[in-house]
Amino acid sequence: MTAPDSSSLLADLAGGSAPFALIARDGATVEVLTGDVVDVDLLADIPLTDAAGTAREVLALVPYRQVRERGFVCHDDGAPLRCLVIDERVALPRAEVMASLPSSPVPLTDAGFDIADEEYADIVRRVIADEIGRGEGANFVIRRDFVAGVDTDPRVAALTWFRALLEHEKGAYWTFAVVTDGHIAVGASPEAHVSAQDGIVTMNPISGTFRHPAGGATAETLAEFLRSTKETEELFMVVDEELKMMSAVCSDGGRITGPHLKEMSRLTHTEYMLRGRSDLDPRDILRETMFAPTVTGSPMQNACTVIARHETAPRGYYSGVAALFTPNGATEGATHDLDAPILIRTAYLVDGRLRVPVGATLVRHSDPYGEVGETHGKAAGVLGAIGAIPRDAPAAPPAADPDAPTAPRRPLGEDPAIAELLASRNDRLAPFWMNPQDPDGSGPFAGRTALVVDAEDRFTTMLAHQLRHLGLDTRIVHWSQVTDADLDAADLVVSGPGPGDPRDDTPRMEAMRHVVGRRTARRDPLLAVCLSHQILADSLGIELMPLDRPHQGLQKSVDVFGEDASIGFYNTFTARVNPGDRRGISYGPDAPVSGFEIDVAADSTTGDVYALRGPGFASVQGHLESILSRDGMRTLERLIAHAL
């Protein structure tokens, strides 16, 4: 298409009233999508076919409030699940689009963050102390918004910002503008949350944020970042959380590759790729993967609760996705492919107000002012590109001379030392999740059944996948739905992990106590994991207490009944015995296994109990299914063999 045609089409979009979307997904073209807007209530309602059953292409803006479909809590602002049902698609050369779009800066008024830096730092402190410190989860993302007034025509502003992001914000997965009646979204998202093409599902967890220093990033400054315990564990935790989702939608559970660098104009992130095979409807894939832990936290259900406690305003579309459903010509199975980036690094314009939401991932190592700086850095990528702040401004208050020139540099990922540092991260990880997987039911426990009781941590999906590799015919039941008949029928019950204080008297804790108690009383095979391990220990009279420092996303090498094992831990509470108590412990007359000796694997210094085994049961404090459990499969097989 010629330049005048491009100019004419874009001018019509700027001066008209019809909805449209512009998407740049490669370096050569910009896709122009036009059609009608339909707002729906549920993901299942996204209209992928017309009345005659003909497949249609749809671009959906999925708001954060859709987590209600999974039963999770949120501040509900009524943001619509907005669908652009595409009638026409035109691919324009990127250079022609750049030449045809407006470029004059869009003036802003009353610009600034809605939450002051010191107030945000206080929120960080509370989340670390009151949420991570109480065992509510491993990491949480709390947002703040950069806001400003905009007097420019909203469609012109959208096109101007889209052009600016194309020019200045490199490394984006999608650069986009979605313009509908009363609502505009313009962004440069670095992260593909989930895609599905030809039956292959891909997720792309990105975490760890290196803010380029004044004067430009160097291999030396990046290497210091890559050695950071906080940043490394943050990435591993989000990979674990997305593997939970992959294991729920993919028959082969998901395989990880990486890590890689995601280099952008002001920031560099680290990332992995997760791939697996699925024949689910892409709307179901999207539902099971709502939403990315990189913008919510883990475990996901509790993360939503924590967000609702610490964010006072609804999220709108922040941390949701833009989901493009494209017909693939299939007559069986999934009829549409899916491409869904996360709605981050995005500017929203509604009723003359600009809003750029950003969030920091809070973990046990977080420094409150460091997280303040991270929100500045993330906002600066968008704000600098669109001219809301000087494009040569540092991403956060500088430690070096702000007038120092920014030198051109080669991609940091090409430096051999950086490549070696990245590759070394995998030395810590479980080979199980890095190798091809295809359970065939021929494992050592073939012919037996397993029931996994979910205590609101979807690590259970990863556990179930590993159990199937060991030959067990496995299903998962939520704690609120499990029956005694379910418990009694299974050859093995795996009582699963979950957040919270095991000493509480909540319905969930009572239900998990019943699961553990019924199986041990009947001498029926039981494996208790993390929270359930603590509940089992408590039933045996072993004292429970909070750790001095939470073990959230922590890898430890521990002795499990005579074998050293590298295992990932996600616990804030622990069962504890006297240091040196390891074997031959018999607990009181009220214990369900009284009269039998219980083997204890405990830390020789602290007495923290890592595993238990007795008549018909075994338990483990760590998460053998985690990518941090390098010896997870071997240890899982040993414990199941004992329980059975």
Side-chain angles (χ1 to χ4, degrees):
M1 184 173 288
T2 64
D5 290 330
S6 299
S7 298
S8 176
L9 174 57
L10 294 170
D12 288 345
L13 295 177
S17 59
F20 68 89
L22 306 178
I23 303 174
R25 294 188 284 176
D26 59 39
T29 61
V30 173
E31 301 163 83
V32 183
L33 312 177
T34 55
D36 297 323
V37 167
V38 177
D39 291 343
V40 299
D41 292 328
L42 303 173
L43 291 170
D45 299 331
I46 295 173
L48 298 187
T49 58
D50 62 17
T54 303
R56 304 190 293 190
E57 187 171 28
V58 177
L59 174 64
L61 289 181
V62 182
Y64 174 72
R65 69 188 288 265
Q66 294 305 129
V67 296
R68 297 173 303 117
E69 290 196 43
R70 293 184 61 185
F72 302 166
V73 301
C74 68
H75 295 300
D76 191 350
D77 55 356
L81 202 176
R82 178 149 291 180
C83 301
L84 177 65
V85 181
I86 299 164
D87 293 330
E88 186 174 2
R89 163 194 286 278
V90 178
L92 300 177
R94 181 182 179 126
E96 293 182 4
V97 171
M98 293 280 289
S100 302
L101 291 173
S103 59
S104 298
V106 175
L108 303 180
T109 59
D110 301 323
F113 278 102
D114 61 339
I115 298 174
D117 286 355
E118 193 59 50
E119 183 181 353
Y120 188 80
D122 286 341
I123 293 172
V124 174
R125 294 186 189 96
R126 291 199 301 272
V127 170
I128 294 170
D130 299 341
E131 308 295 356
I132 297 174
R134 286 206 318 256
E136 296 302 317
N139 56 88
F140 302 107
V141 180
I142 305 299
R143 88 178 202 286
R144 63 199 297 224
D145 297 349
F146 185 93
V147 295
V150 178
D151 293 330
T152 303
D153 177 89
R155 297 169 79 90
V156 172
L159 294 173
T160 303
W161 292 339
F162 177 75
R163 183 194 184 283
L165 288 170
L166 278 181
E167 181 178 2
H168 297 289
E169 186 54 287
K170 69 174 184 177
Y173 178 68
W174 271 31
T175 303
F176 62 91
V178 181
V179 177
T180 63
D181 186 27
H183 188 274
I184 284 170
V186 185
S189 175
E191 190 166 353
H193 175 49
V194 63
S195 64
Q197 185 172 12
D198 299 327
I200 301 298
V201 175
T202 302
M203 299 184 76
N204 177 209
I206 296 177
S207 193
T209 301
F210 172 57
R211 296 185 296 279
H212 298 171
T218 65
E220 290 75 19
T221 55
L222 177 61
E224 183 180 357
F225 159 78
L226 292 176
R227 294 187 185 101
S228 163
T229 299
K230 184 261 185 187
E231 301 292 352
T232 303
E233 292 183 353
E234 182 180 312
L235 178 61
F236 290 159
M237 284 189 278
V238 298
V239 172
D240 259 340
E241 193 68 19
E242 294 207 359
L243 273 173
K244 299 176 189 179
M245 298 174 178
M246 290 290 287
S247 294
V249 301
C250 296
S251 59
D252 56 357
R255 178 190 178 198
I256 68 173
T257 58
H260 312 287
L261 289 183
K262 171 71 73 172
E263 299 183 56
M264 304 193 73
S265 60
R266 294 166 176 260
L267 307 171
T268 293
H269 305 285
T270 46
E271 65 179 358
Y272 278 92
M273 300 299 293
L274 283 56
R275 291 186 176 88
R277 181 167 292 279
S278 177
D279 58 2
L280 292 179
D281 183 298
R283 292 169 294 191
D284 294 331
I285 292 173
L286 199 55
R287 182 184 305 104
E288 290 299 315
T289 60
M290 289 195 302
F291 284 115
T294 51
V295 283
T296 53
S298 64
M300 178 65 193
Q301 183 165 352
N302 244 36
C304 291
T305 302
V306 170
I307 288 168
R309 277 201 286 262
H310 294 275
E311 292 184 2
T312 58
R315 285 192 162 198
Y317 292 93
Y318 170 72
S319 71
V321 296
L324 183 63
F325 299 87
T326 303
N328 57 23
T331 57
E332 296 182 0
T335 59
H336 287 71
D337 291 334
L338 170 68
D339 189 8
I342 304 174
L343 288 171
I344 53 175
R345 316 294 162 81
T346 299
Y348 301 95
L349 182 57
V350 179
D351 296 331
R353 293 293 291 173
L354 168 71
R355 186 171 67 92
V356 180
V358 291
T361 300
L362 314 184
V363 298
R364 60 192 176 93
H365 291 301
S366 286
D367 170 70
Y369 295 106
E371 303 300 357
V372 167
E374 182 163 324
T375 61
H376 278 276
K378 289 177 176 177
V382 175
L383 298 172
I386 67 176
I389 61 175
R391 291 194 177 108
D392 58 353
D401 179 4
D403 297 322
T406 300
R409 58 172 177 80
R410 67 175 180 173
L412 294 167
E414 294 180 3
D415 185 279
I418 296 300
E420 183 177 352
L421 268 174
L422 284 169
S424 69
R425 289 185 170 189
N426 290 342
D427 296 340
R428 299 176 56 189
L429 303 186
F432 179 81
W433 296 109
M434 306 189 75
N435 296 324
Q437 304 164 22
D438 188 15
D440 58 10
S442 63
F445 307 119
R448 308 215 191 180
T449 62
L451 178 75
V452 181
V453 182
D454 188 336
E456 296 184 1
D457 187 335
R458 295 187 80 192
F459 263 129
T460 50
T461 63
M462 295 168 67
L463 264 172
H465 183 63
Q466 289 185 320
L467 294 171
R468 294 182 185 112
H469 270 259
L470 293 173
L472 289 150
D473 181 6
T474 304
R475 68 188 183 101
I476 303 172
V477 179
H478 191 265
W479 67 266
S480 64
Q481 298 174 331
V482 68
T483 66
D484 286 348
D486 292 326
L487 296 175
D488 297 346
D491 294 326
L492 173 73
V493 166
V494 178
S495 189
D501 187 336
R503 303 167 299 183
D504 287 347
D505 292 325
T506 62
R508 178 166 59 92
M509 295 301 178
E510 291 294 342
M512 299 309 292
R513 290 188 189 104
H514 177 75
V515 170
V516 169
R518 185 173 183 86
R519 291 294 288 193
T520 52
R522 292 167 55 91
R523 308 291 195 268
D524 289 338
L526 169 74
L527 175 65
V529 178
C530 196
L531 173 70
S532 294
H533 158 85
Q534 296 163 7
I535 288 172
L536 172 65
D538 184 57
S539 75
L540 298 171
I542 302 176
E543 187 177 7
L544 301 180
M545 60 189 63
L547 292 162
D548 293 335
R549 297 188 67 185
H551 291 169
Q552 294 293 347
L554 178 67
Q555 187 180 57
K556 291 170 65 74
S557 181
V558 300
D559 183 331
V560 180
F561 306 121
E563 283 192 16
D564 288 337
S566 179
I567 295 174
F569 286 78
Y570 285 85
N571 63 302
T572 298
F573 294 86
T574 186
R576 186 168 289 167
V577 297
N578 293 324
D581 285 351
R582 300 178 67 84
R583 297 184 57 83
I585 298 176
S586 180
Y587 289 94
D590 296 329
V593 288
S594 59
F596 291 86
E597 290 188 344
I598 311 303
D599 287 346
V600 178
D603 188 281
S604 60
T605 301
T606 65
D608 291 351
V609 178
Y610 298 134
L612 296 166
R613 64 184 182 186
F617 70 80
S619 71
V620 62
Q621 176 61 76
H623 285 262
L624 304 180
E625 68 282 7
S626 166
I627 63 164
L628 291 170
S629 291
R630 206 169 56 232
D631 302 310
M633 281 296 284
R634 165 64 183 160
T635 307
L636 180 64
E637 183 176 344
R638 289 178 63 214
L639 295 179
I640 291 173
H642 172 84
L644 288 172

